[in-house]
Amino acid sequence: MPPRPGGDGLGVWLTLYQVVTLLLEPAVPSILRGRAKRGKEDPTRIGERFGCPTRPRPAGPLVWLHGVSVGESQSLLPLVSALKAARPEINILVTSGTKTSANLLAKRLPPDVMYQYAPVDVPGAVGRFLNHWRPAVGVLVESELWPNLILKAQAKGVKLVLASARITAKSAAGWQRMGSSARQLLGTFKVLMPQDAETAGRLEKLGGTIGPFANLKRVGQALAYDQEELKALKTYSTGRPVILASNTHPGEETLICQAGLGLGALLVVAPRHPERGNEVAKSLEALGLKVCRRSKGETLSSDHQVYLADTLGEMGLMYAWADVAVMGGSFFPGIGGHNPLEPARMGVPIITGPYVFNASDLYGEMLDAVAAIEVADGPELTRSLTGLIANPQIRRQMTDAALAYAAQQGVALDTVMSALLPLIDA
């Protein structure tokens, strides 16, 4: 068994981390207020980040689910539904750490599921959070290894699960240098469920005991959308195929739009962060493109070459409208790509760039199934878009392949539930 807090003592790195965060804690409120001024925090809910709840805890057992940002939070939604169906008597608390994820969850969580911002990882905030909510089980997804939160939760008897675990080679190398601290932290989890073999190997090398593989990002239903809105958009784009630049990051909007010019298509740009709308619009207008912005309520006309979908929570609508989706976060190093199952569940042919380390297993399988195409750069993207727009039969074949692949991915939810229910019932 790994050393436990209060038992054989913490590793040097974990002890140092606890001391440093304790010393920094008095500055946290000021830091949070500064972040709120820059739009990084919700000023009305800063208290939650400092561990102060904004709603009462109901009586009865409580399961806590945490995902740091949008992708991780969305991957929790099928688990929420499965838990409610299997154990309707339990309370469910979902936490995340970003404004974007909070806004999304506000729209998509059932009304009887509670949401709070996760506490900053300083001892006092974490203690207040855990003392109030008293979860019986905590499920963290992907790579949320916050030492104070994890160690204090274990000390209070919370049964912890790390689901959809993912750790990059760079992160693993960093943890490796911390010696026994990584082994101690991983040892707090009752179950470690890696996304893939690469993560499993890295976690094992760090001293983790690996459970079954499961990737919650593989689970889910097609995104919802407003049928009347789709009908209106299709009316505006009549006669033009729609190329969607999905979840784009800086530099990708211009690259994708330049690749799609001259094909007689409407270019729809949905930036990963809608607050970049002004920046994206200026960069596209600098290319001489006429841009229609959804966030401004502007009406699309035949003169517009680009429709800028700079709104939150409407990706389902954009995928339903698209004839082809070009996945952002994949054309420059550093981001690592975004989940291709969202467009696949809606039968949209997918094109991706080469930098998809965050979802390399998904993309690899989809490329093998001819449910997606990978391109290296702008010229290759132009050639692939030209071929897909000119050949509806190929698009239909990719649509069928994408739908078939997405339909096969529900096993991960069963795996997580099989590990989770015994902990809840214990």
Side-chain angles (χ1 to χ4, degrees):
M1 290 290 291
R4 297 173 63 89
D8 296 332
L10 294 178
V12 172
W13 185 88
L14 287 177
T15 301
L16 180 62
Y17 181 89
Q18 289 189 335
V19 170
V20 170
T21 53
L22 180 63
L23 293 173
L24 289 175
E25 186 157 0
V28 169
S30 177
I31 293 170
L32 290 173
R33 287 192 292 270
R35 283 176 54 82
K37 289 179 181 178
R38 299 192 301 275
K40 300 293 186 181
E41 300 283 348
D42 182 342
T44 67
R45 302 183 73 168
I46 284 178
E48 292 174 26
R49 296 288 274 153
F50 206 52
C52 301
T54 52
R55 59 185 301 172
R57 185 203 189 280
L62 183 143
V63 174
W64 162 43
L65 311 177
H66 174 71
V68 63
S69 191
V70 173
E72 297 85 355
S73 300
Q74 285 194 142
S75 76
L76 290 172
L77 294 172
L79 183 57
V80 168
S81 298
L83 282 171
K84 283 175 61 64
R87 297 292 185 274
E89 72 281 6
I90 65 170
N91 302 298
I92 300 175
L93 169 70
V94 178
T95 62
S96 69
T98 67
K99 285 177 61 178
T100 306
S101 61
N103 291 336
L104 181 143
L105 289 169
K107 295 179 180 179
R108 300 190 60 185
L109 282 175
D112 58 344
V113 172
M114 298 169 287
Y115 173 82
Q116 297 275 278
Y117 278 97
V120 177
D121 200 47
V122 295
V126 166
R128 285 186 287 273
F129 173 85
L130 293 170
N131 287 338
H132 177 80
W133 292 107
R134 306 187 309 280
V137 178
V139 181
L140 314 184
V141 297
E142 297 214 6
S143 54
E144 278 296 273
L145 299 180
W146 291 107
N148 286 321
L149 186 62
I150 291 169
L151 294 171
K152 281 184 177 288
Q154 185 206 36
K156 289 180 177 295
V158 182
K159 290 166 279 190
L160 293 171
V161 174
L162 184 59
S164 297
R166 181 177 66 85
I167 187 169
T168 65
K170 182 178 179 181
S171 294
W175 280 104
Q176 193 73 45
R177 291 192 292 271
M178 296 169 188
S180 64
S181 291
R183 183 175 65 255
Q184 289 177 260
L185 205 58
L186 292 174
T188 62
F189 292 99
K190 297 290 187 182
V191 186
L192 273 175
M193 289 182 277
Q195 288 189 10
D196 50 47
E198 289 81 6
T199 287
R202 291 164 189 154
L203 290 174
E204 273 191 314
K205 191 174 180 180
L206 291 171
T209 301
I210 304 306
F213 285 30
N215 184 351
L216 286 172
K217 284 188 175 179
R218 290 176 176 256
V219 182
Q221 298 178 332
L223 295 174
Y225 61 92
D226 187 308
Q227 292 279 0
E228 291 303 313
E229 282 290 312
L230 178 61
K231 188 183 298 184
L233 291 174
K234 285 187 172 182
T235 299
Y236 298 137
S237 62
T238 298
R240 287 192 284 177
V242 173
I243 297 172
L244 172 64
S246 168
N247 288 288
T248 55
H249 291 260
E252 291 183 321
E253 295 89 9
T254 54
L255 183 149
I256 295 170
C257 286
Q258 285 175 317
L261 288 176
L263 301 180
L266 173 66
L267 302 164
V268 178
V269 175
R272 177 70 170 181
H273 302 290
E275 62 269 22
R276 293 183 53 238
N278 289 337
E279 167 198 332
V280 174
K282 288 178 182 177
S283 68
L284 296 176
E285 287 166 351
L287 296 176
L289 301 176
K290 189 169 183 181
V291 178
C292 176
R293 291 185 63 177
R294 184 166 180 81
S295 66
K296 303 293 186 183
E298 297 171 355
T299 301
L300 182 65
S301 74
S302 58
D303 292 334
H304 289 112
Q305 296 149 298
V306 179
Y307 189 74
L308 179 52
D310 52 345
T311 54
L312 187 67
E314 293 193 305
M315 284 310 303
L317 178 63
M318 297 305 134
Y319 284 131
W321 190 18
D323 293 290
V324 179
V326 182
M327 296 301 291
S330 68
F331 286 91
F332 300 108
I335 304 299
H338 295 296
N339 188 355
L341 282 169
E342 288 187 353
R345 291 187 190 109
M346 304 189 76
V348 185
I350 295 164
I351 300 177
T352 179
Y355 301 104
V356 291
F357 60 80
N358 280 339
S360 57
D361 53 338
L362 287 174
Y363 278 105
E365 293 168 9
M366 293 182 72
L367 292 171
D368 289 343
V370 199
I373 296 171
E374 181 181 306
V375 299
D377 51 28
E380 279 196 20
L381 177 57
T382 297
R383 288 192 290 271
S384 292
L385 285 172
T386 301
L388 286 176
I389 295 301
N391 293 280
Q393 179 61 33
I394 295 176
R395 294 206 305 273
R396 282 194 293 272
Q397 290 171 352
M398 288 188 69
T399 289
D400 293 342
L403 288 169
Y405 178 79
Q408 298 166 6
Q409 305 309 309
V411 175
L413 182 59
D414 296 334
T415 302
V416 175
M417 287 293 289
S418 294
L420 194 54
L421 290 178
L423 296 178
I424 294 172
D425 296 337

